[in-house]
Amino acid sequence: MNDFIAARSQMALSLGFHIVFSCIGMVMPFFMAVAHYYWLKTDQIVYKNVTKAWSKGVAIFFATGAVSGTVLSFELGLLWPGFMKHAGPIFGMPFSLEGTAFFIEAIALGFFLYGWDRFNKWFHWFTGVIVGVSGLASGILVVAANAWMNSPAGFDHVNGQYLNIDPIKAMFNDAWFSQALHMTIAAFVATGFAVAGVHALMILKGKNVLFHTKSFTIAAMFGCVAALLQPLSGDISAKDVAIRQPAKLAAMEAHFHTEKSASLVVGGIPDVENKKVDYAIKLPGFLSFLAHGDFESEVTGLDKIAPENHPPVAITHYAFQIMVGMGMAMMLVSVLYFLALWKQKHWLTSTWLLKLFVAATPLGFIAVEAGWTVTEVGRQPWIIYGVMRTADAVTPMPGIAYSFYLFTAVYASLAVIVIFMLYRQIKMVGQLYDKA
Amino acid sequence: MLYVVIIFLWTSILLYLLLGGADYGAGIIELFTSKGNKEITRKTLYSAIGPIWEANHMWLIIAIVILFVGFPVIYSTMSVNLHIPLTVMLLGIIARGTAFTFRHYDAVVDDMQHVYNSIFAISSFITPLFLGIIAGSAVSGHIDPQADTFLSAYIFSWLHWFSVSVGLFTVAICGFLASVYLIGETKNEHDRLRFAHKAQFFNIAAVICGVLVFTAAYVEHIPLMEWVFGNWIGRIAIVSATLSLIWMWSLLYQGKIALLRPLAGFQVTMILLTTTYRHFPNIVILKGGGYLSLLEHSGQEKTMQALGLALLLGSVFILPALFYLIYSFQKKPLEADSVSH
C-alpha cells in the first residue's frame, strides 16, 4: 500500500468511525429529553428508567466520540500538513466555534449524567437539552468546514498564494447549508432507526415489553419523521452539487456523456473504459429533472471534464446507489409506521412491523457512511475543490501504511468493545433499569 | 487581537497541564499503588473527577484549534516532524478516555474491569510522557526541516535525552498534582496520609526528573539555564515556587489542607511561566538556530480577529458554566458508593 492511499484510508477510517459516534452523541440527547420530559410530567417510572438507561449508552458513545474527534483534529495535520498550512486560517472559524460548542456539551453532560436528585428537576432536564443543542451545533459547524472543501470561499488564490482571507465568508460558503441540513436529518434517521431496531428486537423477545415499547416509540417517531424529510434535503443537495461540482454529480450517476434530458441511472456496473453502465435501469429525463428541475435541461457529463480531474466513478456511483437505496427503504418503513399509527392500529401489535424495524437497524448508518463516501470520494482528486490536489497535501513522512494498520487495529477493537458493552447494557435492562 | 489569541493559547496549555494533568496523574497514582489500595484510590478518583473529566480534556482541543487556525505553519511543522510521538499520544488518549468510561459504565462487573483498569493506568502514564516529549522537542532545536533521512527527520527530532527527561518530568508533575488534589477529597486520616505520601513520592520524582532535564539540556547544548535564570521573571518565579512548595509541605504536616491545591497549582504555573517566558515568542526552535515564532508565523489579520472573537465569545459561555459545574460538585461531592457498582 503506498503512503498516499494509506493516508486516505486512515482518514476515511477515522472519519467513518467518528461519524457513527457523533451522530449518536448529537441525536440521543433529544430522545432522552423527550423521555425525561414524560417522566417529569406523568410520573410514570418507566420513562425515568428509559432516560437513565439511554444516558448510560450516551456516556459510552460520547466518550468514544470525544476521543475519536480529538484524534481527527490532530490527524488533519499528521496526514495533510500541506492542506492545513494553507486551509487552517481560512476554514478554521467553524472549528474555533465548534471548540466552544463541544466544551459546552461536555460541561452540560457532566451536569446531566451526575445531576439526578441534585438540582432543580427542570434545570436538570434543561442541561440534557443543552447537550443535544450544543452537539447539534458542533455537527453543523464541522460540516460547514467540510462544505468549504467542496465549495471554497473567503480567499483569493493568486499564484499559489492565499490572499484576502475572510473566515466568515469561508464559513458561510455555498455548500454549508445544504450539507448541514442533509447531515443533520441523516443523523436523526440513522440514530432513530438504529435505536428503534434494537428496542423492537427486545419487544419481539418479550423482555421488559413496556420499557422497550416506550423507548421504541420515541426513537421510531424521530427516525420516521426524519426519514420522510430526508428526500427533500437530498433534492436540495443534488441541485446544489449539479451546479457547483458537476464532476461529482457525473460520478454519482456514472453520467459519461453530456446530454439534454439525461437519464437517471439506477444501479448497474459502470464501465469506465467504454464509458457506459451495464445492467442499469434508466429513467429518461429524470437526471435532468433531479439536477436542474427540468426534464429537458442539459446535464454535464464526465466528457466535459479533463480526465485528470475525474473522481473515481465506480466507488462514487455505488456509494450513491447504496445511500439512496437505504433512504428509500427507510422511507417505506416510515410510511408503513405512520399508516399503522393513523389507520391500522392492529399493525402496531403485529410482529411483522417490528421485524421490519429490526431489519432496518443498520440501514441509516450504512446510508450515512455511503453518503460521506459520495461527498469525499466524489471530490477527488481535489482536497480543496479546484484549488489544491489531495496528492499535494499529503505528509512527506514515509511508512503511513503502518500507521494505518495500527489505527485499523485500534478502531476495530474499540468497535468490538463498544458493541460488547452495548450488548451487556441491553442484557442488564431487567436488573438495572426496569426491575418490575 | 494576536496577543489575545496568544494568551488564550498559553492559558489553555496551562489549564490542560493543571486539570488534564491532575487527571492523568490520578491514573499514574493507580499505577504506583499497591493492589490492596487500588480500589479506594479508584473511588476517590472517580468521585473527584467523574463529572468534570470530559471537560478537563477539552483544553487540549482548544489549544490545538488555536494552533491550526492561528499558527498553521507551526502546527504543520510539528505535525510532520513529530508525527510519531503525536501518534503515540493520540493512541494514549483513545485508550485512556475509553477505558475510563468503559470501566464505569459497563453494566456487568467482571474480569473485564481488570482489562479496563490496566489500560487506563498504563495510558495515563504514556500520554503525558509523550506530551512532555512533544513539548521538549519543540524547543530542543532537534527539529530539522532540512533533514533528508528518515531517522534525522522523524526519529531524532524527538528521541533524545532532553525531550525524554521533559516527558518524565511531566509525568512526575501530573502525579504530584493529582496526589495533592486527592488529599482534599479524602474522608479519613488514613487515606489523607496515603495521598500525602504519594505527593511526597512524586515531589521527589519531580525534583530528580528536573535535575535530569537540566543535565540533558547541558549535554545537548540547550540554553535552559539561561532561559530559566537569565531574567528577573524566571528568577522570581523559581524562588516563589520553591517558597510556596516549602509552605505547602509545612501546611500539610500541620494538617491544614485548604490551601494545598492553589499552592500546587501556583508552583506548576510558575514552572510553565519560566520555561516559556524567555524564548517567547519562539514556540518551536529548529536545528541550526531557526525558529517558528508566534508573532511572525501567525495567520492573516482577519483570521486572528475572527479567532480572537470566537475565543472571547466562547469563554463567556464556557467559564461560568464550568465554574458552576465544579462548584456544585465541590459543595456536595458524589457519594463514593453511588459511583461504584
Side-chain angles (χ1 to χ4, degrees):
Chain A
M1 181 179 269
N2 75 38
D3 287 329
F4 178 53
I5 296 295
R8 278 184 56 191
S9 309
Q10 186 178 326
M11 199 66 197
L13 171 79
S14 307
L15 285 166
F17 185 83
H18 180 65
I19 189 73
V20 175
F21 294 89
S22 40
C23 279
I24 291 171
M26 69 200 224
V27 172
M28 279 304 285
F30 291 103
F31 295 5
M32 288 193 299
V34 172
H36 197 174
Y37 179 84
Y38 281 133
W39 154 240
L40 295 177
K41 278 287 173 190
T42 66
D43 250 4
Q44 294 180 46
I45 190 82
V46 63
Y47 283 113
K48 186 184 183 187
N49 296 339
V50 169
T51 313
K52 282 206 163 182
W54 274 348
S55 71
K56 294 287 164 65
V58 166
I60 295 167
F61 277 92
F62 184 84
T64 315
V67 291
S68 59
T70 309
V71 170
L72 278 168
S73 64
F74 281 90
E75 271 180 334
L76 285 170
L78 291 174
L79 300 173
W80 314 106
F83 165 66
M84 288 308 284
K85 196 152 83 182
H86 298 294
I90 311 172
F91 84 150
M93 189 66 191
F95 284 115
S96 30
L97 294 172
E98 196 256 347
T100 302
F102 192 34
F103 213 134
I104 303 273
E105 190 180 352
I107 295 171
L109 194 71
F111 277 113
F112 181 74
L113 289 179
Y114 299 90
W116 291 94
D117 309 320
R118 181 181 273 271
F119 300 105
N120 171 298
K121 61 182 183 178
W122 286 107
F123 173 79
H124 181 228
W125 177 81
F126 181 68
T127 59
V129 175
I130 294 292
V131 176
V133 171
S134 49
L136 214 56
S138 292
I140 290 171
L141 287 162
V142 172
V143 172
N146 174 270
W148 177 83
M149 295 161 71
N150 287 314
S151 170
F155 67 100
D156 297 322
H157 189 226
V158 187
N159 301 328
Q161 301 248 40
Y162 294 74
L163 305 172
N164 302 323
I165 290 173
D166 184 341
I168 308 291
K169 261 192 196 155
M171 181 161 82
F172 295 108
N173 59 74
D174 291 340
W176 88 269
F177 178 73
S178 60
Q179 270 193 239
L181 181 69
H182 200 52
M183 182 61 227
T184 305
I185 298 177
F188 276 92
V189 179
T191 311
F193 271 85
V195 175
V198 171
H199 289 294
L201 180 67
M202 298 315 286
I203 300 171
L204 286 172
K205 284 193 170 181
K207 287 184 179 158
N208 303 82
V209 172
L210 180 68
F211 174 95
H212 288 295
T213 307
K214 300 286 186 200
S215 314
F216 170 82
T217 311
I218 295 171
M221 210 50 155
F222 271 103
C224 290
V225 170
L228 293 176
L229 292 174
Q230 189 64 316
L232 299 174
S233 88
D235 183 57
I236 298 174
S237 287
K239 292 197 163 55
D240 186 41
V241 168
I243 299 166
R244 281 186 304 95
Q245 290 178 293
K248 184 185 277 183
L249 186 81
M252 280 154 70
E253 271 301 306
H255 183 57
F256 291 104
H257 308 284
T258 305
E259 58 186 354
K260 286 191 174 168
S261 80
S263 312
L264 186 72
V265 177
V266 179
I269 299 169
D271 179 351
V272 179
E273 222 152 274
N274 299 313
K275 301 190 189 323
K276 61 188 179 64
V277 188
D278 300 324
Y279 316 112
I281 303 163
K282 294 190 177 172
L283 307 171
F286 273 86
L287 181 58
S288 295
F289 180 71
L290 198 75
H292 302 295
D294 170 8
F295 283 98
E296 298 300 316
S297 66
E298 185 177 277
V299 179
T300 312
L302 286 164
D303 55 351
K304 282 253 177 96
I305 291 148
E308 71 270 20
N309 293 341
H310 284 191
V313 176
I315 296 179
T316 315
H317 180 67
Y318 293 137
F320 183 61
Q321 306 305 309
I322 291 171
M323 179 187 78
V324 174
M326 301 292 144
M328 291 295 190
M330 287 183 290
M331 205 172 84
L332 202 70
V333 176
S334 307
V335 170
L336 290 173
Y337 184 60
F338 284 120
L339 260 178
L341 284 178
W342 282 320
K343 296 273 178 198
Q344 310 281 340
K345 294 267 187 223
H346 63 279
W347 287 4
L348 290 173
T349 48
S350 58
T351 56
W352 67 267
L353 189 64
L354 287 170
K355 282 182 183 156
L356 215 55
F357 270 99
V358 174
T361 307
L363 300 191
F365 280 105
I366 296 174
V368 166
E369 299 288 354
W372 276 104
T373 308
V374 172
T375 318
E376 294 300 289
V377 177
R379 193 189 57 242
Q380 302 304 324
W382 303 102
I383 191 164
I384 309 174
Y385 184 67
V387 177
M388 183 191 283
R389 285 173 181 276
T390 315
D392 296 333
V394 71
T395 178
M397 193 179 99
I400 297 296
Y402 298 103
S403 160
F404 169 58
Y405 300 142
L406 195 63
F407 275 93
T408 308
V410 169
Y411 281 147
S413 12
L414 263 186
V416 170
I417 299 179
V418 169
I419 290 169
F420 169 71
M421 294 197 49
L422 221 54
Y423 166 76
R424 302 230 269 199
Q425 285 285 343
I426 294 161
K427 203 178 73 176
M428 295 294 280
V429 162
Q431 276 112 304
L432 291 176
Y433 308 111
D434 192 37
K435 294 197 180 80
Chain B
M1 210 43 124
L2 176 57
Y3 281 94
V4 172
V5 173
I6 292 174
I7 289 168
F8 267 101
L9 177 63
W10 194 83
T11 312
S12 349
I13 293 173
L14 174 68
L15 288 172
Y16 187 57
L17 182 62
L18 290 175
L19 302 169
D23 203 282
Y24 286 118
I28 299 168
I29 294 178
E30 254 187 74
L31 199 63
F32 288 94
T33 298
S34 59
K35 240 188 182 146
N37 287 328
K38 276 201 159 92
E39 193 54 35
I40 181 76
T41 306
R42 225 167 271 147
K43 279 187 182 170
T44 316
L45 157 74
Y46 195 81
S47 68
I49 66 170
I52 50 165
W53 87 271
E54 285 281 7
N56 285 343
H57 293 272
M58 293 296 149
W59 297 111
L60 177 67
I61 303 201
I62 302 287
I64 202 71
V65 168
I66 294 178
L67 216 52
F68 80 57
V69 178
F71 311 96
V73 178
I74 299 173
Y75 172 80
S76 54
T77 306
M78 290 178 74
S79 300
V80 171
N81 291 97
L82 303 176
H83 188 117
I84 294 170
L86 280 165
T87 301
V88 177
M89 178 203 78
L90 286 179
L91 294 173
I93 289 178
I94 297 178
R96 187 176 188 278
T98 48
F100 180 81
T101 309
F102 292 171
R103 77 174 177 184
H104 181 60
Y105 284 105
D106 199 339
V108 183
V109 179
D110 58 9
D111 288 348
M112 278 304 282
Q113 289 289 329
H114 296 305
V115 180
Y116 305 142
N117 286 336
S118 6
I119 293 179
F120 177 73
I122 294 168
S123 52
S124 291
F125 182 88
I126 295 199
T127 315
L129 174 70
F130 275 82
L131 277 164
I133 289 180
I134 291 159
S137 311
V139 293
S140 69
H142 283 78
I143 294 178
D144 183 1
Q146 262 79 51
D148 47 9
T149 66
F150 185 83
L151 284 177
S152 60
Y154 303 110
I155 302 288
F156 297 132
S157 53
W158 58 274
L159 189 62
H160 43 82
W161 290 114
F162 177 71
S163 300
V164 175
S165 315
V166 175
L168 290 172
F169 182 66
T170 313
V171 171
I173 295 262
C174 293
F176 174 71
L177 281 170
S179 321
V180 174
Y181 185 83
L182 289 177
I183 291 172
E185 298 289 325
T186 51
K187 306 265 182 325
N188 57 54
E189 193 55 34
H190 174 72
D191 289 340
R192 194 164 303 151
L193 220 60
R194 254 172 18 81
F195 288 116
H197 281 304
K198 289 281 174 250
Q200 202 170 19
F201 170 77
F202 285 109
N203 197 163
I204 294 169
V207 172
I208 296 172
C209 294
V211 173
L212 259 177
V213 171
F214 275 98
T215 317
Y218 178 75
V219 173
E220 293 178 0
H221 306 293
I222 296 159
L224 186 64
M225 275 291 193
E226 203 269 328
W227 288 342
V228 173
F229 296 107
N231 60 90
W232 277 108
I233 299 270
R235 272 171 264 176
I236 293 170
I238 289 294
V239 170
S240 55
T242 313
L243 289 177
S244 78
L245 187 66
I246 297 167
W247 186 23
M248 195 194 90
W249 280 111
S250 73
L251 283 177
L252 187 57
Y253 285 120
Q254 292 162 31
K256 294 177 187 161
I257 56 171
L259 275 176
L260 298 184
R261 284 179 195 175
L263 285 174
F266 174 76
Q267 288 144 23
V268 175
T269 310
M270 288 301 116
I271 293 173
L272 188 69
L273 181 70
T274 48
T275 49
T276 49
Y277 175 75
R278 185 60 178 82
H279 56 80
F280 176 83
N282 304 334
I283 184 172
V284 176
I285 294 170
L286 303 168
K287 195 166 192 157
Y291 53 80
L292 298 176
S293 152
L294 287 172
L295 298 180
E296 292 163 39
H297 295 93
S298 64
Q300 294 174 20
E301 204 182 321
K302 263 200 168 168
T303 300
M304 300 317 277
Q305 229 149 32
L307 177 58
L309 284 175
L311 290 167
L312 288 170
L313 186 74
S315 42
V316 171
F317 286 103
I318 291 170
L319 295 179
L322 187 60
F323 281 127
Y324 185 54
L325 179 70
I326 296 170
Y327 166 78
S328 328
F329 287 94
Q330 281 295 324
K331 204 176 63 177
K332 187 178 163 220
L334 291 175
E335 292 295 318
D337 293 335
S338 75
V339 298
S340 66
H341 292 281

